[in-house]
Amino acid sequence: MRSRIPLPEDRPWRVLGLMSGTSADGVDTVLVEVEPTAFPEGRPFLRLLGHHAAPYPESLKDQVLEAASNHLDPAGLCILQRRLGDHHARAAADLCADLGLSPDLASLHGQTVQHHPAEGASLQLADPYVLAEALGCPVVWDLRRRDLALGGQGAPLVPLPERWLRGAGPWLALNLGGIANVAAWDGRRLQAWDTGPGMSLLDLAAHRWLGRPFDPEGAGASGGVHADLLARWLQHPYFQQPLPKSTGREIFGEAWLEAESTTLEALPLADRLATLAAFTAQTIAQELARLGPQVAALQGLVSGGGARHRRLRAELAARLPLPLEDDLTFPSGAREAVSWALLGAASALGVPGNLPEVTGASHPAALGSWVWP
């Protein structure tokens, strides 16, 4: 296969992937080696060359959460785009300097601040021009909107890279980021969607009631679960929607927690956090029931920040029909950035990066827009 842009033809490509997830805690940057001729066989990934995590400063994270909560005006969004671009560029340059390597191309996810698939709209911020200038290589960005233009959800997009990375299967991969998502492959069919809240509500609760950005290992969630609250929350319309579907902090974020704050604050703090953990676990269990009884035969793998939340893991173990193993293939936080690097390489070749059976798009398409240094 030949690239649509000028890239090396005599060696594997070095591809930089940058991912800022719905946890809104920073950017993960990876440099991977990709064999472009191996896409037809579905095994383009060669190796991980390096990974660097760059947490957001508190002021930047606060701005991201304000944008996700509709509290940032257009001027603020404009400035946030540049601030995020600067942060991503520094993270990428630091990784390349540490490795002594230069990328052939970079694939930029950006920070999701709004996601409205029913309206065909999604917004990921981080200025790609700043990144292209910092790295001196082409940058592909804004990968979700092509799928949205085709009538899709624009998410999830990582299931196809998961196939490239995992091979034949069968497997089930649960990612516990800000929003929880699942991808399941039974050897014949791949299904993937957002199950609902992951760590978004728990992290916001930790900030509100513990004065911390998150509850380390879920230590504060030691109380009892209030079944009446759980039953009411599970009636949220999102859990009744058929597939394909995706969601974000505009639904399970600050506005949701604020609406429930009076009820929650009547409970002991340990009960609040325990009930929120049970809510995340039960929504995942309820959504996985869509896969039918065969889900119990899949290898269950879990990744993301929520994998370290002990109460959440205990609630999942009590509710799911299959055990979950920690996904240790890549360093913590690196996996989605690796997936994004693979999607960027696919875009350079004109290889489709979406799965219509997952997103609901009318047809497969190469994703993203390109910026040149």
Side-chain angles (χ1 to χ4, degrees):
M1 303 181 72
R2 293 186 63 109
S3 172
R4 300 187 296 171
I5 64 173
L7 287 170
E9 298 183 3
D10 58 346
R11 61 169 175 81
W13 295 344
R14 292 188 296 269
V15 184
L16 196 76
L18 299 102
M19 170 58 68
S20 307
T22 49
S23 57
D25 54 4
V27 56
D28 282 285
T29 306
V30 298
L31 190 65
V32 302
E33 202 167 57
V34 173
E35 177 48 67
T37 63
F39 273 95
E41 292 77 41
R43 300 309 297 265
F45 175 78
L46 294 179
R47 61 188 177 121
L48 175 67
L49 299 171
H51 167 239
H52 174 63
Y56 289 152
E58 197 65 29
S59 63
L60 183 56
K61 181 174 182 176
D62 287 346
Q63 274 193 298
V64 169
L65 295 179
E66 285 179 22
S69 302
N70 291 321
H71 295 153
L72 212 59
D73 61 19
L77 285 173
C78 180
I79 295 167
L80 180 58
Q81 169 90 322
R82 176 56 191 253
R83 287 193 67 194
L84 286 167
D86 289 342
H87 187 85
H88 282 67
R90 282 193 298 271
D94 286 348
L95 176 62
C96 292
D98 289 345
L99 297 173
L101 295 171
S102 298
D104 297 309
L105 68 119
S107 182
L108 171 65
H109 179 275
Q111 178 65 60
T112 300
V113 295
Q114 291 288 319
H115 184 64
H116 301 280
E119 305 297 329
S122 189
L123 182 62
Q124 287 75 44
L125 297 182
D127 193 328
Y129 296 95
V130 178
L131 185 62
E133 291 297 327
L135 298 178
C137 72
V139 174
V140 63
W141 70 298
D142 205 17
L143 277 73
R144 296 194 184 278
R145 285 202 291 168
R146 181 71 184 275
D147 187 83
L148 286 157
L150 295 170
Q153 294 277 313
L157 295 181
V158 297
L160 184 54
E162 287 285 352
R163 281 277 306 277
W164 295 334
L165 290 166
R166 296 188 189 277
W171 45 265
L172 180 146
L174 174 65
N175 177 48
L176 295 173
I179 297 298
N181 59 74
V182 64
W185 169 250
D186 63 5
R188 300 181 306 277
R189 183 185 182 196
L190 181 63
Q191 294 177 267
W193 68 100
D194 290 344
T195 60
M199 296 304 294
S200 58
L201 300 176
L202 282 161
D203 287 350
L204 287 167
H207 184 269
R208 186 182 189 114
W209 294 310
L210 297 177
R212 297 177 173 182
F214 61 93
D215 179 13
E217 299 187 342
S222 58
V225 174
H226 289 252
D228 54 338
L229 277 183
L230 201 58
R232 178 166 63 80
W233 294 344
L234 290 169
Q235 298 307 308
H236 191 285
Y238 183 75
F239 308 120
Q240 324 311 319
Q241 289 179 25
L243 306 184
K245 62 179 181 177
S246 57
T247 189
R249 282 180 174 270
E250 60 284 336
I251 294 180
F252 298 110
E254 185 67 47
W256 188 99
L257 191 66
E258 182 63 35
E260 296 292 333
S261 62
T262 300
T263 301
L264 283 166
E265 285 170 355
L267 308 177
L269 176 55
D271 288 11
R272 296 174 219 167
L273 297 175
T275 304
L276 288 170
F279 179 44
T280 286
Q282 185 59 35
T283 58
I284 291 168
Q286 186 170 293
E287 289 292 316
L288 290 191
R290 297 174 185 269
L291 296 170
Q294 64 270 23
V295 69
L298 303 179
Q299 179 191 18
L301 298 162
V302 62
S303 61
R308 297 187 293 273
H309 193 288
R310 292 180 182 176
R311 180 60 182 260
L312 176 53
R313 291 293 296 270
E315 295 289 344
L316 285 167
R319 288 171 164 79
L320 298 186
L322 76 169
L324 295 175
E325 308 167 23
D326 289 319
D327 190 339
L328 303 176
T329 309
F330 297 107
S332 178
R335 187 171 198 97
E336 284 192 287
V338 171
S339 293
W340 222 253
L342 292 173
L343 288 174
S347 179
L349 293 163
V351 171
N354 63 334
L355 289 171
E357 63 268 31
V358 168
T359 68
S362 58
H363 61 79
L367 306 176
S369 300
W370 287 86
V371 169
W372 312 101

